[in-house]
Amino acid sequence: MSRELELLLFLLALRASGEVVAGSAEAAAAAAAWPALQVGFYHAKCPVAEDVVLGEMRMILEEDPTLAPSLLRMHYHDCFVQGCDGSIMLRSRSGKGERDATPNRSMRGYDAINRIKARLETVCPLTVSCADIIAMAARDAVYLSKGPWYDVETGRRDGDVSVAEYAENDLAPPDSNIVDVKTFFSVKSLNAKDIAVLFGCHSIGTSHCGAFQKRLYNFTGRMDQDPSLDAGYAAKLKKLCPPGHGHDHDHDGHGGAGGAAKVPMDPGSGFTFDLSYYRHVLATGGLFQSDGSLRDDPVTRGYVEKLANASSSEEYFADFAAAMVKMGRTDVLTGDLGAVRPTCDSLVD
């Protein structure tokens, strides 16, 4: 059930009980009273929450730095499918949960989120939601990769529905063109600038060959190469990914059926959150077709060009923080909606 439908049912229930009279003004007032996310939501209930998450993240990334892009990606995949409700963590006996969807088959980081949750349960039982842990872990993953620190709004509650089909339908594939990308993001109230900013997440992490192989060998179905891809860069990719090498269509995966090759999304700076991604996209067309598509829209191209020529990351870091906070508000459960799960990877069926 969508958040909008839940809110509508809530308003209808109030109206039926006589607490809300007919009229858009009253409905708007009730909607405005709906509990919102806020910075410092846990200050009274669990003042050490963010310190615990950051402390665990430091240890997790010291043990395995490759988890940083995976945990950042997890927040995006969680928010784009039914909202930021932690449902990506739920397990399905029948293999029909979000985890089982094609875009998530190579997802890593579930154990890291479970580890953070277990630590928080020892100090603040049934207080910090899995959805908030994912959001804070994503922020910390960026920060510990030399990116910006930003305040994370918290107060999300956890959902109990996880459906693979939703993930298949709501996540833009890496071979999307700019029209498709803008469609996927606009549904989540994210605009062209947000797209250009959030694609900077590709500054860290790697991909298996299957996610971009079509660009190299069969772009239009005629065994051709994407003409927008820089020829020199394409030649390097072909050496790493010969024809038929890998079938995994995910990025940031470090796993799955895509073969051994792991190609950095931002060559030369694959684990440092910086501006080199934008220079790479402008010069070569990027690793994925969706990266290259940023050059096909005036707003996204203008942003790429500006950052590719920027002498400081200060403006980008501020834009990134704002875009992540905006994405983190997507269809959230707050107040009495949802729950705080005792464990994040509960079984959904």
Side-chain angles (χ1 to χ4, degrees):
M1 181 183 296
S2 71
R3 308 293 181 257
E4 294 84 355
L5 181 55
E6 289 174 341
L7 178 56
L8 177 59
L9 293 174
F10 170 76
L11 294 173
L12 290 173
L14 288 179
R15 181 172 295 171
S17 67
E19 295 180 43
V20 176
V21 296
S24 59
E26 290 82 358
W34 202 260
L37 301 180
Q38 63 185 66
V39 174
F41 178 82
Y42 295 110
H43 281 179
K45 300 177 180 179
C46 186
V48 299
E50 295 202 37
D51 292 335
V52 169
V53 175
L54 179 58
E56 289 295 322
M57 282 294 294
R58 287 187 188 277
M59 291 187 286
I60 287 166
L61 296 186
E62 283 175 3
E63 296 165 11
D64 185 359
T66 68
L67 283 175
S70 298
L71 289 166
L72 177 55
R73 177 182 173 223
M74 182 182 289
H75 183 39
Y76 157 57
H77 281 215
D78 186 41
C79 288
F80 266 59
V81 183
Q82 301 188 94
C84 314
D85 66 351
S87 57
I88 193 170
M89 287 294 301
L90 294 169
R91 292 177 295 133
S92 167
R93 289 189 182 93
S94 62
K96 295 180 180 180
E98 290 175 37
R99 284 196 191 198
D100 306 297
T102 299
N104 290 330
R105 286 178 186 165
S106 64
M107 180 70 73
R108 300 169 67 239
Y110 298 116
D111 289 344
I113 298 300
N114 285 333
R115 170 175 165 174
I116 297 169
K117 175 65 169 177
R119 178 75 181 97
L120 283 167
E121 287 298 302
T122 65
V123 294
C124 305
L126 292 176
T127 302
V128 183
S129 69
C130 302
D132 278 344
I133 292 171
I134 293 170
M136 289 186 281
R139 184 267 312 278
D140 295 348
V142 170
Y143 174 66
L144 295 172
S145 300
K146 301 183 179 180
W149 174 270
Y150 56 92
D151 288 329
V152 173
E153 294 179 338
T154 45
R156 299 169 188 81
R157 307 261 290 176
D158 297 324
D160 59 3
V161 175
S162 185
V163 180
E165 184 180 359
Y166 298 166
E168 301 279 2
N169 293 336
D170 292 347
L171 294 166
D175 61 353
S176 298
N177 59 40
I178 192 60
V179 174
D180 291 338
V181 171
K182 289 173 73 173
T183 299
F184 278 102
F185 277 68
S186 66
V187 171
K188 308 303 176 184
S189 300
L190 297 167
N191 59 34
K193 180 181 177 181
D194 297 324
I195 292 169
V197 171
L198 292 171
F199 265 51
C201 292
H202 291 175
S203 176
I204 57 175
T206 62
S207 171
H208 289 296
C209 298
F212 57 87
Q213 205 162 32
K214 178 182 174 182
R215 295 189 83 189
L216 301 177
Y217 300 110
N218 195 25
F219 185 63
T220 65
R222 299 178 180 179
M223 308 304 289
D224 54 343
Q225 180 179 299
D226 180 354
S228 71
L229 187 61
D230 177 76
Y233 181 50
K236 293 178 182 179
L237 292 176
K238 286 180 177 180
K239 288 182 180 179
L240 293 170
C241 301
H245 186 86
H247 305 284
D248 187 2
H249 295 285
D250 273 330
H251 54 278
D252 264 352
H254 304 280
K262 297 173 185 176
V263 181
M265 295 188 285
D266 182 13
S269 184
F271 291 98
T272 302
F273 196 89
D274 55 23
L275 297 179
S276 63
Y277 164 78
Y278 293 99
R279 301 184 190 109
H280 175 56
V281 169
L282 188 61
T284 69
L287 185 61
F288 307 121
Q289 183 180 345
S290 56
D291 290 324
S293 77
L294 296 179
R295 304 188 301 182
D296 298 331
D297 175 85
V299 174
T300 55
R301 183 182 182 90
Y303 194 81
V304 168
E305 290 176 342
K306 180 170 69 172
L307 292 191
N309 293 289
S311 58
S312 167
S313 59
E314 183 177 356
E315 179 181 0
Y316 174 61
F317 281 5
D319 287 343
F320 181 79
M324 287 293 284
V325 169
K326 184 177 180 181
M327 184 185 77
R329 296 170 178 164
T330 303
D331 294 338
V332 294
L333 298 169
T334 59
D336 293 330
L337 296 177
V340 175
R341 295 199 294 269
T343 58
C344 291
D345 63 345
S346 305
L347 286 164
V348 73
D349 58 18

